[in-house]
Amino acid sequence: MGGITETSKLRSIWGRASIVPLTAILLIGTLFGQAGRRSHPTSEASTMVNVVAVRTEGAAAPITAKDISFFDNGVEQSVRNFAPDLSAAKIVLLVDNSLTIRADVEKLEAAAQEFAYEIFDGDKLLIVGYDSEADIVSDWTDDAKKIEAELKAFHKKGDPRLFDAIMAVVGDALQPLSAQKRAIVVISDGLDRGSKTKFQQALSALQSLDIVVYCVQAQDRTRGAIRRDVPKPRQVIDDLAEGTGGRIFPIDDPREAAKAICDELRKNRYVLSYLPQSVPLTESRRLLVMGERGIDARAKTMQPVN
């Protein structure tokens, strides 16, 4: 199937991830330039943004453009179209299996396994375990039995190079799937130790390609300790989820996390299109989506400069 051949590169992922500082500008520029739902508005082309919207009281009435307000760089924009996205999803489970994570292998396996039973028809999972290196544990599939067997490959060793893993997964696994619904589920406490990629580089790449990140959060192994030049693990988790329009779930209830994430991707995703007006297109811009009363709406919070 499309995308599998590309993701086979992940088996030697760290050879490339280790040279991120030498190629970061080129790589990020390529990611920005090839965003699936492009943010290069012209007089004829709209910008599209993925949005999650749900009625808080569970009402079944459809949500339309009239129920949504959208702001680009503080300027309210005219929404051209707001349509449900009922397409299948490509979901990467990015699992921290480093030596010091405060979750045993069985708990990590359980957190990943639940997604195999909750995905909808047409959805596919790619499971990548990372520590000092990153490897495909289970390539794109919807076969729950296959996933269950392959999850036995999880191990605990090395340091958690989360930011490098995010950048490599984006470039190798998700960027080629530019026209499809894409998500990453990070199963981790958010600690990064030793990545050559800076956190903001990884976050900007995700935002540029409009890839949503959900976090299944393990207990913070640092107990809030501050490390120079690296955000705290909790801040990493918060910023990944908020910055991309995702959510955070505790690792102690993986079934609920998997169900909520898969349901949201299939049932509550919309594509919003607009033609940016009165905004500086050569600068990074803050985005804000708001629902009318009784509607919760989320989207990425930033459009990086392209």
Side-chain angles (χ1 to χ4, degrees), residues 37 50 83-91 119-124 177-183 261-271:
R37 290 171 176 172
N50 294 311
D85 182 358
L86 303 178
S87 63
K90 294 295 195 302
I91 306 169
I119 57 175
F120 288 79
D121 289 344
D123 294 347
K124 300 287 185 181
L177 307 177
S178 59
Q180 301 182 49
K181 184 188 296 180
R182 300 165 295 179
I261 291 168
C262 293
D263 281 355
E264 182 167 286
L265 286 170
R266 181 56 64 98
K267 300 177 181 179
N268 302 124
R269 281 261 296 207
Y270 295 80
V271 177

mmCIF file of all heavy atoms in Angstrom, residues 37 50 83-91 119-124 177-183 261-271:
data_model
loop_
_atom_site.group_PDB
_atom_site.id
_atom_site.type_symbol
_atom_site.label_atom_id
_atom_site.label_comp_id
_atom_site.label_asym_id
_atom_site.label_seq_id
_atom_site.Cartn_x
_atom_site.Cartn_y
_atom_site.Cartn_z
ATOM 1 N N ARG A 37 -2.148 20.129 2.930
ATOM 2 C CA ARG A 37 -3.202 21.128 2.766
ATOM 3 C C ARG A 37 -2.509 22.469 2.803
ATOM 4 O O ARG A 37 -2.284 23.043 3.853
ATOM 5 C CB ARG A 37 -4.245 20.964 3.859
ATOM 6 C CG ARG A 37 -5.018 19.676 3.595
ATOM 7 C CD ARG A 37 -5.929 19.274 4.691
ATOM 8 N NE ARG A 37 -6.666 18.093 4.266
ATOM 9 C CZ ARG A 37 -7.440 17.387 5.052
ATOM 10 N NH1 ARG A 37 -7.566 17.712 6.298
ATOM 11 N NH2 ARG A 37 -8.086 16.339 4.595
ATOM 12 N N ASN A 50 -7.268 21.819 9.551
ATOM 13 C CA ASN A 50 -8.032 20.748 10.198
ATOM 14 C C ASN A 50 -8.554 21.231 11.548
ATOM 15 O O ASN A 50 -7.817 21.821 12.333
ATOM 16 C CB ASN A 50 -7.145 19.518 10.400
ATOM 17 C CG ASN A 50 -6.726 18.895 9.089
ATOM 18 O OD1 ASN A 50 -7.546 18.666 8.215
ATOM 19 N ND2 ASN A 50 -5.434 18.623 8.945
ATOM 20 N N ALA A 83 -16.458 21.604 6.331
ATOM 21 C CA ALA A 83 -17.069 20.328 5.962
ATOM 22 C C ALA A 83 -16.516 19.191 6.800
ATOM 23 O O ALA A 83 -15.314 19.171 7.125
ATOM 24 C CB ALA A 83 -16.823 20.046 4.484
ATOM 25 N N PRO A 84 -17.352 18.202 7.165
ATOM 26 C CA PRO A 84 -16.858 17.028 7.906
ATOM 27 C C PRO A 84 -15.804 16.279 7.097
ATOM 28 O O PRO A 84 -15.896 16.168 5.873
ATOM 29 C CB PRO A 84 -18.118 16.175 8.091
ATOM 30 C CG PRO A 84 -19.266 17.102 7.887
ATOM 31 C CD PRO A 84 -18.805 18.129 6.901
ATOM 32 N N ASP A 85 -14.807 15.769 7.798
ATOM 33 C CA ASP A 85 -13.783 14.920 7.177
ATOM 34 C C ASP A 85 -13.976 13.510 7.732
ATOM 35 O O ASP A 85 -13.484 13.178 8.809
ATOM 36 C CB ASP A 85 -12.389 15.443 7.489
ATOM 37 C CG ASP A 85 -11.289 14.628 6.831
ATOM 38 O OD1 ASP A 85 -11.611 13.631 6.150
ATOM 39 O OD2 ASP A 85 -10.105 14.984 6.985
ATOM 40 N N LEU A 86 -14.681 12.679 6.993
ATOM 41 C CA LEU A 86 -15.003 11.322 7.428
ATOM 42 C C LEU A 86 -14.040 10.294 6.855
ATOM 43 O O LEU A 86 -14.287 9.082 6.927
ATOM 44 C CB LEU A 86 -16.437 10.972 7.020
ATOM 45 C CG LEU A 86 -17.527 11.924 7.540
ATOM 46 C CD1 LEU A 86 -18.897 11.505 7.027
ATOM 47 C CD2 LEU A 86 -17.521 11.984 9.059
ATOM 48 N N SER A 87 -12.938 10.749 6.307
ATOM 49 C CA SER A 87 -11.981 9.848 5.673
ATOM 50 C C SER A 87 -11.231 9.022 6.716
ATOM 51 O O SER A 87 -11.223 9.324 7.915
ATOM 52 C CB SER A 87 -10.985 10.642 4.833
ATOM 53 O OG SER A 87 -10.219 11.512 5.649
ATOM 54 N N ALA A 88 -10.595 7.960 6.247
ATOM 55 C CA ALA A 88 -9.780 7.115 7.117
ATOM 56 C C ALA A 88 -8.528 7.856 7.560
ATOM 57 O O ALA A 88 -8.087 8.810 6.917
ATOM 58 C CB ALA A 88 -9.404 5.830 6.383
ATOM 59 N N ALA A 89 -7.956 7.407 8.665
ATOM 60 C CA ALA A 89 -6.793 8.072 9.251
ATOM 61 C C ALA A 89 -5.570 7.179 9.209
ATOM 62 O O ALA A 89 -5.659 5.953 9.331
ATOM 63 C CB ALA A 89 -7.091 8.470 10.695
ATOM 64 N N LYS A 90 -4.420 7.816 9.045
ATOM 65 C CA LYS A 90 -3.129 7.169 9.239
ATOM 66 C C LYS A 90 -2.587 7.655 10.579
ATOM 67 O O LYS A 90 -2.334 8.848 10.768
ATOM 68 C CB LYS A 90 -2.166 7.526 8.106
ATOM 69 C CG LYS A 90 -2.597 6.983 6.750
ATOM 70 C CD LYS A 90 -2.579 5.463 6.745
ATOM 71 C CE LYS A 90 -2.652 4.906 5.330
ATOM 72 N NZ LYS A 90 -3.840 5.344 4.588
ATOM 73 N N ILE A 91 -2.421 6.732 11.515
ATOM 74 C CA ILE A 91 -2.071 7.069 12.893
ATOM 75 C C ILE A 91 -0.735 6.434 13.252
ATOM 76 O O ILE A 91 -0.582 5.206 13.175
ATOM 77 C CB ILE A 91 -3.157 6.575 13.877
ATOM 78 C CG1 ILE A 91 -4.542 7.107 13.478
ATOM 79 C CG2 ILE A 91 -2.809 6.984 15.307
ATOM 80 C CD1 ILE A 91 -5.686 6.450 14.237
ATOM 81 N N ILE A 119 -9.577 1.364 16.161
ATOM 82 C CA ILE A 119 -9.569 2.067 14.878
ATOM 83 C C ILE A 119 -10.771 1.649 14.035
ATOM 84 O O ILE A 119 -11.313 0.562 14.179
ATOM 85 C CB ILE A 119 -8.257 1.819 14.098
ATOM 86 C CG1 ILE A 119 -8.022 0.328 13.866
ATOM 87 C CG2 ILE A 119 -7.095 2.478 14.804
ATOM 88 C CD1 ILE A 119 -6.814 0.038 12.993
ATOM 89 N N PHE A 120 -11.168 2.547 13.127
ATOM 90 C CA PHE A 120 -12.302 2.319 12.247
ATOM 91 C C PHE A 120 -11.833 1.661 10.948
ATOM 92 O O PHE A 120 -10.638 1.623 10.637
ATOM 93 C CB PHE A 120 -13.000 3.652 11.942
ATOM 94 C CG PHE A 120 -13.777 4.216 13.091
ATOM 95 C CD1 PHE A 120 -13.124 4.885 14.130
ATOM 96 C CD2 PHE A 120 -15.152 4.075 13.153
ATOM 97 C CE1 PHE A 120 -13.842 5.407 15.196
ATOM 98 C CE2 PHE A 120 -15.885 4.604 14.212
ATOM 99 C CZ PHE A 120 -15.225 5.264 15.239
ATOM 100 N N ASP A 121 -12.805 1.147 10.188
ATOM 101 C CA ASP A 121 -12.489 0.565 8.886
ATOM 102 C C ASP A 121 -11.728 1.573 8.029
ATOM 103 O O ASP A 121 -12.146 2.727 7.896
ATOM 104 C CB ASP A 121 -13.769 0.144 8.159
ATOM 105 C CG ASP A 121 -14.421 -1.075 8.787
ATOM 106 O OD1 ASP A 121 -13.747 -1.769 9.567
ATOM 107 O OD2 ASP A 121 -15.613 -1.335 8.481
ATOM 108 N N GLY A 122 -10.641 1.129 7.463
ATOM 109 C CA GLY A 122 -9.833 1.991 6.608
ATOM 110 C C GLY A 122 -8.680 2.653 7.325
ATOM 111 O O GLY A 122 -7.709 3.076 6.688
ATOM 112 N N ASP A 123 -8.758 2.802 8.654
ATOM 113 C CA ASP A 123 -7.652 3.375 9.414
ATOM 114 C C ASP A 123 -6.466 2.415 9.423
ATOM 115 O O ASP A 123 -6.637 1.189 9.383
ATOM 116 C CB ASP A 123 -8.060 3.651 10.861
ATOM 117 C CG ASP A 123 -9.108 4.732 11.003
ATOM 118 O OD1 ASP A 123 -9.360 5.446 10.020
ATOM 119 O OD2 ASP A 123 -9.681 4.858 12.110
ATOM 120 N N LYS A 124 -5.262 2.969 9.492
ATOM 121 C CA LYS A 124 -4.052 2.161 9.584
ATOM 122 C C LYS A 124 -3.169 2.698 10.698
ATOM 123 O O LYS A 124 -3.111 3.907 10.942
ATOM 124 C CB LYS A 124 -3.266 2.205 8.268
ATOM 125 C CG LYS A 124 -4.020 1.695 7.054
ATOM 126 C CD LYS A 124 -4.181 0.190 7.067
ATOM 127 C CE LYS A 124 -4.848 -0.270 5.767
ATOM 128 N NZ LYS A 124 -5.047 -1.734 5.746
ATOM 129 N N LEU A 177 2.252 11.045 2.870
ATOM 130 C CA LEU A 177 0.801 10.823 2.871
ATOM 131 C C LEU A 177 0.080 12.163 2.919
ATOM 132 O O LEU A 177 -0.847 12.368 3.693
ATOM 133 C CB LEU A 177 0.407 9.960 4.080
ATOM 134 C CG LEU A 177 1.175 8.642 4.218
ATOM 135 C CD1 LEU A 177 0.749 7.920 5.487
ATOM 136 C CD2 LEU A 177 0.978 7.752 3.000
ATOM 137 N N SER A 178 0.473 13.074 2.057
ATOM 138 C CA SER A 178 0.083 14.474 2.181
ATOM 139 C C SER A 178 -1.404 14.713 2.009
ATOM 140 O O SER A 178 -1.930 15.680 2.531
ATOM 141 C CB SER A 178 0.860 15.320 1.173
ATOM 142 O OG SER A 178 0.603 14.883 -0.145
ATOM 143 N N ALA A 179 -2.098 13.867 1.286
ATOM 144 C CA ALA A 179 -3.518 14.111 1.032
ATOM 145 C C ALA A 179 -4.413 13.391 2.021
ATOM 146 O O ALA A 179 -5.635 13.394 1.877
ATOM 147 C CB ALA A 179 -3.867 13.685 -0.394
ATOM 148 N N GLN A 180 -3.841 12.752 3.045
ATOM 149 C CA GLN A 180 -4.621 11.925 3.956
ATOM 150 C C GLN A 180 -4.675 12.514 5.364
ATOM 151 O O GLN A 180 -3.869 13.363 5.724
ATOM 152 C CB GLN A 180 -4.022 10.511 3.992
ATOM 153 C CG GLN A 180 -3.999 9.850 2.618
ATOM 154 C CD GLN A 180 -3.454 8.446 2.667
ATOM 155 O OE1 GLN A 180 -3.865 7.632 3.479
ATOM 156 N NE2 GLN A 180 -2.520 8.142 1.778
ATOM 157 N N LYS A 181 -5.638 12.041 6.126
ATOM 158 C CA LYS A 181 -5.767 12.451 7.524
ATOM 159 C C LYS A 181 -4.651 11.791 8.324
ATOM 160 O O LYS A 181 -4.503 10.573 8.328
ATOM 161 C CB LYS A 181 -7.127 12.011 8.058
ATOM 162 C CG LYS A 181 -7.427 12.453 9.481
ATOM 163 C CD LYS A 181 -8.703 11.796 9.991
ATOM 164 C CE LYS A 181 -9.914 12.233 9.196
ATOM 165 N NZ LYS A 181 -11.149 11.588 9.698
ATOM 166 N N ARG A 182 -3.861 12.605 9.034
ATOM 167 C CA ARG A 182 -2.664 12.102 9.707
ATOM 168 C C ARG A 182 -2.648 12.534 11.164
ATOM 169 O O ARG A 182 -3.001 13.657 11.498
ATOM 170 C CB ARG A 182 -1.411 12.624 9.003
ATOM 171 C CG ARG A 182 -1.295 12.212 7.554
ATOM 172 C CD ARG A 182 -0.265 13.032 6.800
ATOM 173 N NE ARG A 182 -0.634 14.440 6.692
ATOM 174 C CZ ARG A 182 0.105 15.362 6.090
ATOM 175 N NH1 ARG A 182 1.268 15.035 5.575
ATOM 176 N NH2 ARG A 182 -0.313 16.605 6.029
ATOM 177 N N ALA A 183 -2.189 11.620 12.028
ATOM 178 C CA ALA A 183 -2.096 11.909 13.457
ATOM 179 C C ALA A 183 -0.927 11.146 14.048
ATOM 180 O O ALA A 183 -0.549 10.074 13.559
ATOM 181 C CB ALA A 183 -3.390 11.538 14.175
ATOM 182 N N ILE A 261 -9.649 8.996 21.062
ATOM 183 C CA ILE A 261 -8.849 9.510 19.947
ATOM 184 C C ILE A 261 -9.394 9.007 18.614
ATOM 185 O O ILE A 261 -9.572 9.787 17.665
ATOM 186 C CB ILE A 261 -7.379 9.122 20.129
ATOM 187 C CG1 ILE A 261 -6.773 9.876 21.322
ATOM 188 C CG2 ILE A 261 -6.572 9.416 18.859
ATOM 189 C CD1 ILE A 261 -5.421 9.365 21.758
ATOM 190 N N CYS A 262 -9.648 7.713 18.519
ATOM 191 C CA CYS A 262 -10.150 7.151 17.259
ATOM 192 C C CYS A 262 -11.532 7.697 16.919
ATOM 193 O O CYS A 262 -11.819 8.003 15.747
ATOM 194 C CB CYS A 262 -10.162 5.631 17.323
ATOM 195 S SG CYS A 262 -8.510 4.890 17.410
ATOM 196 N N ASP A 263 -12.400 7.827 17.924
ATOM 197 C CA ASP A 263 -13.730 8.410 17.691
ATOM 198 C C ASP A 263 -13.609 9.840 17.183
ATOM 199 O O ASP A 263 -14.313 10.246 16.255
ATOM 200 C CB ASP A 263 -14.558 8.393 18.976
ATOM 201 C CG ASP A 263 -15.152 7.028 19.276
ATOM 202 O OD1 ASP A 263 -15.007 6.112 18.442
ATOM 203 O OD2 ASP A 263 -15.756 6.872 20.350
ATOM 204 N N GLU A 264 -12.739 10.600 17.803
ATOM 205 C CA GLU A 264 -12.602 12.007 17.420
ATOM 206 C C GLU A 264 -12.093 12.150 15.991
ATOM 207 O O GLU A 264 -12.594 12.982 15.219
ATOM 208 C CB GLU A 264 -11.662 12.710 18.398
ATOM 209 C CG GLU A 264 -11.497 14.185 18.129
ATOM 210 C CD GLU A 264 -10.830 14.905 19.277
ATOM 211 O OE1 GLU A 264 -11.493 15.117 20.317
ATOM 212 O OE2 GLU A 264 -9.646 15.255 19.147
ATOM 213 N N LEU A 265 -11.108 11.348 15.641
ATOM 214 C CA LEU A 265 -10.553 11.442 14.291
ATOM 215 C C LEU A 265 -11.586 11.101 13.219
ATOM 216 O O LEU A 265 -11.590 11.692 12.140
ATOM 217 C CB LEU A 265 -9.338 10.519 14.158
ATOM 218 C CG LEU A 265 -8.062 10.992 14.851
ATOM 219 C CD1 LEU A 265 -7.011 9.890 14.862
ATOM 220 C CD2 LEU A 265 -7.505 12.249 14.184
ATOM 221 N N ARG A 266 -12.467 10.154 13.506
ATOM 222 C CA ARG A 266 -13.437 9.743 12.494
ATOM 223 C C ARG A 266 -14.727 10.570 12.535
ATOM 224 O O ARG A 266 -15.309 10.868 11.487
ATOM 225 C CB ARG A 266 -13.772 8.257 12.667
ATOM 226 C CG ARG A 266 -14.764 7.705 11.631
ATOM 227 C CD ARG A 266 -14.312 7.903 10.195
ATOM 228 N NE ARG A 266 -13.095 7.194 9.869
ATOM 229 C CZ ARG A 266 -13.058 6.008 9.260
ATOM 230 N NH1 ARG A 266 -14.198 5.404 8.934
ATOM 231 N NH2 ARG A 266 -11.914 5.439 8.985
ATOM 232 N N LYS A 267 -15.170 10.971 13.722
ATOM 233 C CA LYS A 267 -16.509 11.553 13.863
ATOM 234 C C LYS A 267 -16.543 13.069 14.030
ATOM 235 O O LYS A 267 -17.582 13.692 13.770
ATOM 236 C CB LYS A 267 -17.223 10.912 15.061
ATOM 237 C CG LYS A 267 -17.414 9.412 14.954
ATOM 238 C CD LYS A 267 -18.049 8.863 16.212
ATOM 239 C CE LYS A 267 -18.245 7.368 16.153
ATOM 240 N NZ LYS A 267 -18.845 6.823 17.408
ATOM 241 N N ASN A 268 -15.453 13.653 14.500
ATOM 242 C CA ASN A 268 -15.497 15.067 14.888
ATOM 243 C C ASN A 268 -14.481 15.942 14.163
ATOM 244 O O ASN A 268 -14.211 17.055 14.586
ATOM 245 C CB ASN A 268 -15.288 15.216 16.403
ATOM 246 C CG ASN A 268 -16.300 14.451 17.216
ATOM 247 O OD1 ASN A 268 -15.929 13.624 18.047
ATOM 248 N ND2 ASN A 268 -17.571 14.694 16.974
ATOM 249 N N ARG A 269 -13.937 15.457 13.084
ATOM 250 C CA ARG A 269 -12.947 16.229 12.325
ATOM 251 C C ARG A 269 -13.615 16.944 11.152
ATOM 252 O O ARG A 269 -14.460 16.388 10.450
ATOM 253 C CB ARG A 269 -11.861 15.307 11.780
ATOM 254 C CG ARG A 269 -10.845 14.929 12.821
ATOM 255 C CD ARG A 269 -9.603 15.764 12.719
ATOM 256 N NE ARG A 269 -8.900 15.556 11.459
ATOM 257 C CZ ARG A 269 -7.602 15.723 11.294
ATOM 258 N NH1 ARG A 269 -6.852 16.101 12.308
ATOM 259 N NH2 ARG A 269 -7.027 15.531 10.121
ATOM 260 N N TYR A 270 -13.176 18.187 10.956
ATOM 261 C CA TYR A 270 -13.682 19.018 9.867
ATOM 262 C C TYR A 270 -12.495 19.647 9.143
ATOM 263 O O TYR A 270 -11.401 19.771 9.699
ATOM 264 C CB TYR A 270 -14.586 20.127 10.398
ATOM 265 C CG TYR A 270 -15.859 19.632 11.042
ATOM 266 C CD1 TYR A 270 -15.851 19.144 12.353
ATOM 267 C CD2 TYR A 270 -17.070 19.667 10.360
ATOM 268 C CE1 TYR A 270 -17.019 18.684 12.949
ATOM 269 C CE2 TYR A 270 -18.242 19.218 10.952
ATOM 270 C CZ TYR A 270 -18.211 18.722 12.241
ATOM 271 O OH TYR A 270 -19.358 18.272 12.823
ATOM 272 N N VAL A 271 -12.739 20.052 7.924
ATOM 273 C CA VAL A 271 -11.760 20.841 7.181
ATOM 274 C C VAL A 271 -12.339 22.233 6.971
ATOM 275 O O VAL A 271 -13.426 22.381 6.391
ATOM 276 C CB VAL A 271 -11.405 20.204 5.832
ATOM 277 C CG1 VAL A 271 -10.440 21.110 5.065
ATOM 278 C CG2 VAL A 271 -10.784 18.827 6.033
#
